[in-house]
């Protein structure tokens, strides 16, 4: 079975240049590839809302994070000793 993956993609170097097709859009004169030149970040205006967890939720998150870190450190230390002994 022959591999044809490379043949499915048009390998244009865009050497002829770019022509303005519409506002904020250009097209390659050789292959017709479009590139967009005038766009901004997709973010709503204004600052995001600040969310403050309750003291109970914050304490629970801290306990869960500490538990996760302790388990990860335990597994990493055993993993490290196992490879050192091998």
């Amino acid at each position: 079975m022959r591999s044809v993956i490379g043949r499915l993609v048009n390998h244009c170097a865009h050497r002829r240049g770019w022509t303005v097709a519409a506002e904020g859009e250009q097209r390659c004169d050789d292959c017709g590839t479009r590139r967009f030149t005038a766009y901004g970040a997709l973010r709503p205006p204004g600052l995001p809302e600040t969310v403050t967890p309750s003291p109970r939720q914050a304490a629970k998150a801290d306990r869960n994070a500490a538990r996760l870190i302790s388990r990860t450190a335990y597994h990493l230390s055993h993993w490290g000793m196992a490879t050192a002994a091998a």
Side-chain angles (χ1 to χ4, degrees):
M1 181 174 166
R2 282 184 20 192
S3 175
V4 293
I5 294 171
R7 297 172 193 258
L8 298 176
V9 179
N10 186 5
H11 298 284
C12 179
H14 314 299
R15 296 186 198 275
R16 278 197 194 168
W18 298 86
T19 303
V20 176
E23 186 177 339
E25 179 183 325
Q26 294 178 341
R27 286 189 179 267
C28 174
D29 292 335
D30 266 344
C31 66
T33 297
R34 295 185 307 171
R35 75 175 176 186
F36 301 99
T37 58
Y39 60 91
L42 300 174
R43 191 173 114 181
L47 296 174
E49 289 184 31
T50 303
V51 177
T52 305
S54 69
R56 183 178 179 185
Q57 289 174 330
K60 184 178 179 182
D62 286 345
R63 283 192 306 273
N64 287 336
R67 186 179 300 120
L68 178 67
I69 290 170
S70 69
R71 288 179 180 171
T72 303
Y74 174 79
H75 289 296
L76 288 177
S77 64
H78 283 351
W79 176 79
M81 284 192 285
T83 57

